Amino acid sequence: MPHTIPAHQRRLPDCVYPPDWLRREEPDAARQTGTTLYALMQRAGEAAYQYARHRYPNARRWLVLCGHGNNGGDGYVVATLARAAGIETTVVACRAARPLPEEAQCAYATWQKEGDMALTPDAPWPDGIDLIIDGLLGTGLSSAPRAPYDALIARANAHGAPVLALDIPSGLNAQTGACAGETIVAACTVTFIALKPGLLTGRARACVGTLRYADLDLSSWLQQHSAPMRRLSREHLPGWLTPRSPLAHKGDHGRVLLVGGNAGMGGAIAMAGEAALRSGAGLVRVLTHMQYAAALLMARPELMVQALSDASLREGLDWADVVVIGPGLGQDGWAKSALRAVENCNKPMLWDADALNLLAMSPFKRQNRILTPHPGEAARLLNCRVAEIESDRLLAAQRLVQRYGGTVVLKGAGTVIADESDALALVDVGNPGMASGGMGDVLSGIIGALLGQKLSRYAAACAGCVVHGAAADALAEQRGTRGMLATDLMPVLSRYVNPEWIPLEKTE
């Protein structure tokens, strides 16, 4: 699609590229496509300007923050276009001892032809500003913003006007999604050429706002280069979950064994078991503490429930196609005995919750497992601080795979999925309502069910995370995020494991 198609009419692409690679290759992209870097800068500024007019049609006083780099050059292009359209436009320019990059200097000179003067970073801002354009710091940032950028970012965030970020919110790391210091909290971001991972994970959800994409007419060039990462959305579900055969029977769709639910934690294994049923598992057997067996059978009679014992566990492992262990497992002798019996199983397995905490005490590597840690569990597995996990979630997921094998689902805002095959994905669904007890147990049941339906380990992890997040998003659209319960997802799951029933997403 040509760059003239507005950003608001584009769906986000599936491919994700490292920002360092994009910066290195951009000159080659311009040469191969018969254009110039300055022309690409003009296209970027035009795309952002057009989206700003679409998103904020009544904004008549714009403030454009321009840094001393090519991100600032994009800002000068936006300011020039806005001024030509009769919008009252004020530019704040960050100076430096070194000259502007060549393309940014051209954009600055074009803006200055009308004789307008830029404000200095410490100058008062005009009254009545109703849109701020963030062109301060681009994708090359690797540390906390320094003066005067940090003060400008804080002023923009404190101002009442919405902020539109060019390529990435200033202060957000384009590779990791981490924020080392002051960071723009944008209402919307228009990113250029390709998606960067830092827009999809870590602090991105709090800073990026509505994400839109402009390819600058480089899609055909970009398609020549394989992407090392993939963005996952509900649009991918039909590729994993095809309609069932009319001749299907329960034996075709997996026998899933769930082990957990220690004293005081029976709800966790109950939620995992029901989620597995709701996600299409053929048969689900739960081995749990004896005090919960009768209650689980009464609450969900489709489950097969037994008290956990050495004999029932041996029988269950022989019976099962897939094993899920960890929800409500605990860390006492009862839990350790169960994990010892399961750890050498050669069938596909998913380990969650206390199974991961016990694994951290006695690490070993297996290729037939999916591990689903949240950041705290990941920190214990890697013997580091949670802050280290969150500072580079992609690297943390890859380190977990290197140490423990199999597939890793690093949960959180912008879940990361990594596999021994070097596949890497970022899950672009989900919302803050999922920050409540039991959500991880539901995810374990979903992924276990998809493993039982003969999806590969990596595909089951990807599809399960998307089903989980998409179901929560559907609930959030109906009634908001606060007060969402894990069990609220149960009636919604069937819609997303049957994606032929999902209506197509609409562009803004």
Side-chain angles (χ1 to χ4, degrees):
M1 296 186 294
H3 71 275
T4 49
I5 293 180
H8 66 273
Q9 293 181 4
R10 295 178 179 273
R11 66 175 295 274
L12 293 178
D14 302 333
C15 296
V16 182
Y17 294 84
D20 290 349
W21 179 86
L22 281 169
R23 284 194 301 276
R24 288 196 308 269
E25 297 296 323
E26 191 174 354
D28 183 60
R31 285 192 298 271
Q32 286 193 31
T33 56
T35 188
T36 65
L37 290 174
Y38 182 52
L40 292 180
M41 181 175 286
Q42 289 176 306
R43 294 177 189 177
E46 180 184 1
Y49 165 76
Q50 294 293 348
Y51 182 68
R53 293 301 302 272
H54 165 79
R55 178 77 180 260
Y56 303 104
N58 298 319
R60 305 305 302 167
R61 293 184 176 89
W62 292 16
L63 180 74
V64 185
L65 305 176
C66 295
H68 200 75
N70 284 329
N71 198 243
D74 298 337
Y76 288 119
V77 174
V78 172
T80 301
L81 292 168
R83 181 182 60 192
I87 295 169
E88 187 177 323
T89 307
T90 302
V91 169
V92 176
C94 294
R95 309 290 188 185
R98 66 185 188 283
L100 281 166
E102 180 180 351
E103 293 78 23
Q105 179 60 43
C106 290
Y108 171 77
T110 301
W111 171 77
Q112 205 181 36
K113 281 180 182 178
E114 297 293 325
D116 290 350
M117 296 295 292
L119 297 180
T120 60
D122 57 352
W125 292 356
D127 294 333
I129 294 297
D130 47 17
L131 180 63
I132 298 173
I133 306 296
D134 166 33
L136 288 173
L137 298 166
T139 61
L141 183 73
S142 58
S143 59
R146 301 174 182 174
Y149 294 96
D150 54 352
L152 283 171
I153 291 170
R155 287 177 71 183
N157 287 338
H159 197 281
V163 180
L164 186 152
L166 305 179
D167 210 11
I168 191 165
S170 293
L172 184 66
N173 187 298
Q175 174 63 28
T176 66
C179 301
E182 293 284 357
T183 305
I184 284 287
V185 178
C188 50
T189 299
V190 180
T191 199
F192 308 126
I193 303 178
L195 291 186
K196 299 86 180 170
L199 293 165
L200 300 170
T201 194
R203 294 290 301 279
R205 292 292 182 93
C207 301
V208 170
T210 302
L211 180 59
R212 289 293 177 260
Y213 162 72
D215 73 347
L216 311 188
D217 208 13
L218 294 181
S219 285
S220 58
W221 169 80
L222 196 61
Q223 289 167 7
Q224 300 171 22
H225 304 274
S226 59
M229 290 161 273
R230 189 180 183 202
R231 168 186 162 268
L232 303 180
S233 70
R234 73 182 200 180
E235 294 177 350
H236 296 101
L237 289 173
W240 296 306
L241 302 171
T242 56
R244 286 184 167 178
S245 165
L247 304 179
H249 61 86
K250 62 186 179 184
D252 294 334
H253 303 302
R255 294 174 295 187
V256 180
L257 177 70
L258 294 104
V259 182
N262 205 335
M265 295 181 285
I269 202 68
M271 287 186 284
E274 182 168 356
L277 289 171
R278 299 283 188 179
S279 302
L283 294 165
V284 179
R285 178 178 292 187
V286 174
L287 300 182
T288 186
H289 196 280
M290 60 185 302
Q291 73 184 73
Y292 300 121
L296 262 64
L297 279 171
M298 291 183 64
R300 183 52 58 203
E302 295 88 347
L303 292 171
M304 297 179 285
V305 185
Q306 293 175 278
L308 176 63
S309 65
D310 292 344
S312 65
L313 187 50
R314 284 194 301 270
E315 179 187 347
L317 291 173
D318 288 340
W319 169 87
D321 298 316
V322 173
V323 179
V324 175
I325 186 167
L329 184 66
Q331 298 184 39
D332 60 7
W334 185 89
K336 292 175 181 177
S337 176
L339 195 63
R340 281 195 300 270
V342 168
E343 63 187 11
N344 292 318
C345 177
N346 291 320
K347 295 175 179 179
M349 294 191 290
L350 182 144
W351 289 32
D352 185 33
D354 276 322
L356 301 175
N357 293 324
L358 292 172
L359 177 62
M361 299 176 192
S362 302
F364 68 98
K365 193 170 187 176
R366 289 297 300 265
Q367 281 67 43
N368 63 323
R369 282 187 310 213
I370 298 174
L371 307 182
T372 57
H374 58 56
E377 291 159 347
R380 288 188 281 277
L381 287 165
L382 292 175
N383 192 27
C384 66
R385 295 177 296 113
V386 172
E388 189 176 338
I389 300 294
E390 293 291 67
S391 70
D392 194 336
R393 290 170 51 78
L394 283 86
L395 179 61
Q398 291 170 313
R399 287 178 61 203
L400 286 164
V401 169
Q402 291 168 0
R403 181 171 296 187
Y404 293 98
T407 302
V408 168
V409 175
L410 178 55
K411 296 182 288 193
T415 290
V416 178
I417 304 172
D419 186 73
E420 283 187 321
S421 65
D422 294 328
L424 193 60
L426 299 107
V427 181
D428 194 22
V429 292
N431 61 77
M434 301 173 76
S436 63
M439 284 291 179
D441 305 312
V442 172
L443 178 62
S444 294
I446 296 170
I447 296 175
L450 298 181
L451 279 172
Q453 292 168 75
K454 300 181 175 58
L455 272 69
S456 71
R457 196 180 59 234
Y458 180 68
C462 292
C465 289
V466 173
V467 166
H468 189 233
D473 287 345
L475 289 173
E477 289 172 9
Q478 295 171 10
R479 57 197 191 197
T481 58
R482 187 174 284 113
M484 186 185 296
L485 303 181
T487 51
D488 292 341
L489 270 63
M490 300 302 181
V492 188
L493 291 178
S494 58
R495 182 194 309 177
Y496 292 95
V497 293
N498 295 289
E500 63 270 24
W501 293 96
I502 304 173
L504 294 176
E505 290 189 73
K506 296 179 181 179
T507 55
E508 183 182 332

